[in-house]
């Protein structure tokens, strides 16, 4: 049985095809980029070769036509007819409190994605466009939506409520939702496997540090705290997002700089974080190079970034009553030994001791990078959100018979 996983962004569609014959394995993957621009690009890699070309692609529906063309390519494709794709799993960012599980997409689900688009304006409309286009291109498939917010629907009330008048929670559902849930769930499960212990017994702090970044406190496999909130702006310092700030800054920037609310909102989302602090880049690789060359602005930005993660780890140890494991994942978490080291420096008092040699090459040490004496295990685990979406799609396909 074959399933397609789609991650539709505002101008791109990332796709992967999986086959389940007992075990799930990836057959092919690719991306359609720069949809709606002058020149778009299609890239595909299958078991019998690669396809790459540039053309003009105006919409997601057209983009998916190109995905289908690559998948059915007589020489390099992996299917001969679209009906071979039995299920399509869609990644959706914001499902609000309407969904806490992967679901088959129906009108009600589409309405929920639309309703919460106001809180994820960059993501939800694109996700929905991808779903609608895919329903046309793969009309026989079961379409499943897997939400970034769903895993955090187990947060207790004291963790998800903001201390503003309760009427705004009732009226607008203003509360903390959390994101990156698919990734937090996946790496928590993998950590339990790697440690050879039941997930139900573990207290795990998962650190998804990519261009967007968030932490989650996972108790017995359930998310009980997470650092992103109503939107993905809250919490950690990110590539271009500020993370936590005193809310008054919004007011003063409007007043002092004569900015509109929209302008300040954009500034906090697009011109802040590592980019805003350093004035150089949002990319940890670039900042690391500059820091090593003696650039103080780059070093300062990375120190603020690391400090924020450290502070959250301490807070989540308190929330969990201690931790069995800390997991690093995503672009920065998986690849930057320096950031992991800066974040965990000085935490020996909390039972967290990094082994610097293992930290330099996690895969060579079974992904565990803490010293043998460390009470809290530290792991580096590559995330795989697409695999989770494929599994969930297959599960729903099987349950529908
Ligand atoms: P993601 O959103 O998970 O794709 O992560 C993207 C971010 O990961 C980039 O903006 C970089 O800052 C960071 N990154 C990727 N590779 C490396 C690396 N080798 N060292 C440090 N940071 C990296």
């Amino acid at each position: 049985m074959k399933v397609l996983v789609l991650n539709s962004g505002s101008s791109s569609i990332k796709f992967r095809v999986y086959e389940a014959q007992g075990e799930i394995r990836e057959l092919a993957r690719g991306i359609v980029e720069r949809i709606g621009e002058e020149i778009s690009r299609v890239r595909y890699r299958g078991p019998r070769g690669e396809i790459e070309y540039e053309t003009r692609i105006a919409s997601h529906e057209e983009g998916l036509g190109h995905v289908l063309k690559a998948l059915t390519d007589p020489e390099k494709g992996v299917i001969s007819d679209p009906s071979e794709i039995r299920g399509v799993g869609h990644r959706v960012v914001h499902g609000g409190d309407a969904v806490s599980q992967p679901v088959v997409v129906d009108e009600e689900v589409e309405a929920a994605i639309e309703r919460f688009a106001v809180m994820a304006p960059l993501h939800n409309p694109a996700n929905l466009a991808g779903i609608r286009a895919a329903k046309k291109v793969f009309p026989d498939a079961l379409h499943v939506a897997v939400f970034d917010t769903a895993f955090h629907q187990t947060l207790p009330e004291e963790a998800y409520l903001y201390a503003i008048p309760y009427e705004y929670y009732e009226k607008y559902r203003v509360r903390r939702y959390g994101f990156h849930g698919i990734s937090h769930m996946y790496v928590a499960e993998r950590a339990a496997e790697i440690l050879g212990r039941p997930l139900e017994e573990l207290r795990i702090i998962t650190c998804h540090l990519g261009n967007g970044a968030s932490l989650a406190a996972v108790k017995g496999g359930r998310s009980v705290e997470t650092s992103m909130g109503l939107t993905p702006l809250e919490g950690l310092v990110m590539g271009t997002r500020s993370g936590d700030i005193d809310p008054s800054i919004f007011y003063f920037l409007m007043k002092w700089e004569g900015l509109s609310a929209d302008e300040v909102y954009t500034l906090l989302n697009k011109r802040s974080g590592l980019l805003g602090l350093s004035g150089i880049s949002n990319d940890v690789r670039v900042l690391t190079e500059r820091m090593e060359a003696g650039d103080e602005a780059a070093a300062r930005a990375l120190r603020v970034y690391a400090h924020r993660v450290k502070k959250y780890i301490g807070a989540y140890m308190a929330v969990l009553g201690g931790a069995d494991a800390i997991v690093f994942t995503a672009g920065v978490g998986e690849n930057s030994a320096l950031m992991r080291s800066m974040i965990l420096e000085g935490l020996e008092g909390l039972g967290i001791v990094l082994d610097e040699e293992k930290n330099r090459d996690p895969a060579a040490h079974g992904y565990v990078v803490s010293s043998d004496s460390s009470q809290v295990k530290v792991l580096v685990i590559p995330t795989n959100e697409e695999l989770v979406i494929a599994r969930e799609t297959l599960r729903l396909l099987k349950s529908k018979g």
Side-chain angles (χ1 to χ4, degrees):
M1 197 186 303
K2 294 189 181 85
V3 295
L4 173 68
V5 172
L6 293 178
N7 187 349
S8 306
S10 53
S11 65
S12 71
I13 303 170
K14 291 188 199 136
F15 62 97
R16 290 194 196 183
V17 180
Y18 290 86
E19 174 155 52
Q21 279 177 327
E23 228 170 83
I24 301 182
R25 73 189 173 100
E26 186 185 314
L27 286 183
R29 66 165 73 181
I31 185 166
V32 180
E33 290 171 295
R34 297 193 228 122
I35 296 171
E37 293 181 26
E38 274 304 302
I39 300 170
S40 320
R41 190 156 64 144
V42 179
R43 281 187 290 161
Y44 164 88
R45 195 175 76 213
R48 283 174 288 132
E50 299 183 8
I51 299 172
E52 188 167 344
Y53 58 90
E54 290 185 338
T55 183
R56 194 168 179 170
I57 299 173
S59 64
H60 282 77
E61 196 174 330
E62 256 182 57
L64 273 171
H66 287 271
V67 172
L68 181 61
K69 200 170 123 207
L71 295 180
T72 52
D73 186 87
E75 225 183 283
K76 297 172 179 167
V78 286
I79 54 172
S80 47
D81 188 90
S83 64
E84 282 178 49
I85 298 290
R86 298 279 306 281
V88 183
H90 300 268
R91 182 198 185 160
V92 183
V93 166
H94 212 316
D97 50 7
V99 275
S100 55
Q101 294 288 332
V103 286
V104 174
V105 181
D106 57 15
E107 270 174 29
E108 215 176 291
V109 172
E110 287 191 27
I113 299 171
E114 216 154 23
R115 192 161 71 249
F116 287 98
V118 68
M119 298 174 199
L122 295 179
H123 299 106
N124 270 31
N127 300 155
L128 194 55
I131 288 174
R132 289 182 172 150
K135 280 185 158 178
K136 289 189 189 155
V137 178
F138 298 96
D140 303 325
L142 186 77
H143 290 263
V144 171
V146 184
F147 293 85
D148 262 335
T149 45
F151 181 56
H152 303 299
Q153 278 296 298
T154 47
L155 254 61
E157 191 183 53
E158 60 270 26
Y160 73 66
L161 281 181
Y162 290 111
I164 61 172
Y166 191 72
E167 64 183 276
Y168 298 121
Y169 169 61
E170 294 177 306
K171 202 165 157 189
Y172 302 114
R173 313 313 282 170
V174 173
R175 52 159 284 178
R176 312 186 57 250
Y177 291 102
F179 299 86
H180 297 137
I182 304 167
S183 178
H184 287 296
M185 183 182 89
Y186 174 76
V187 297
E189 287 175 3
R190 280 287 295 136
E193 277 171 26
I194 292 169
L195 294 173
R197 293 183 58 188
L199 183 61
E200 295 68 35
E201 284 176 11
L202 294 173
R203 298 158 301 176
I204 306 177
I205 298 171
T206 48
C207 311
H208 178 106
L209 308 179
N211 203 22
S214 69
L215 253 70
V218 183
K219 194 174 200 165
R222 292 157 67 88
S223 174
V224 294
E225 248 299 3
T226 192
S227 60
M228 282 179 168
L230 177 76
T231 75
L233 182 57
E234 190 181 343
L236 303 177
V237 175
M238 301 175 224
T240 62
R241 284 172 242 163
S242 64
D244 296 337
I245 56 167
D246 181 336
S248 319
I249 294 172
F250 208 107
Y251 168 76
F252 286 118
L253 284 179
M254 286 180 76
K255 231 171 121 142
W256 293 334
E257 292 283 309
L259 300 174
S260 68
D262 278 355
E263 285 167 331
V264 178
Y265 189 59
T266 303
L267 181 152
L268 295 175
N269 270 293
K270 300 256 167 92
R271 289 170 46 209
S272 299
L274 290 173
L275 175 66
L277 260 176
S278 68
I280 299 168
S281 172
N282 63 327
D283 193 320
V284 170
R285 280 167 295 201
V286 175
L287 294 175
T288 303
E289 271 172 33
R290 295 286 283 265
M291 179 174 91
E292 282 164 357
D295 188 310
E296 178 49 27
R300 184 193 302 133
L302 292 176
R303 284 198 302 268
V304 176
Y305 181 102
H307 175 78
R308 184 78 53 88
V309 182
K310 189 195 294 273
K311 191 164 89 170
Y312 266 94
I313 287 175
Y316 287 7
M317 285 188 78
V319 166
L320 291 168
D324 299 294
I326 296 173
V327 184
F328 288 94
T329 192
V332 179
E334 289 168 30
N335 296 301
S336 178
L338 173 77
M339 292 316 296
R340 294 193 297 265
S341 175
M342 282 171 71
I343 290 164
L344 297 181
E345 192 188 347
L347 297 186
E348 295 80 10
L350 296 179
I352 305 166
V353 188
L354 196 65
D355 181 319
E356 287 296 352
E357 198 193 317
K358 292 179 184 169
N359 186 39
R360 276 191 287 277
D361 191 358
H365 295 90
Y367 305 105
V368 180
V369 298
S370 43
S371 73
D372 295 341
S373 64
S374 184
Q375 239 172 304
V376 182
K377 301 294 168 215
V378 181
L379 295 95
V380 178
I381 301 178
T383 193
N384 195 342
E385 290 155 301
E386 292 79 9
L387 181 64
V388 176
I389 298 170
R391 273 190 203 146
E392 295 295 340
T393 305
L394 281 161
R395 193 174 54 79
L396 282 170
L397 261 172
K398 282 179 189 148
S399 75
K400 302 275 161 199

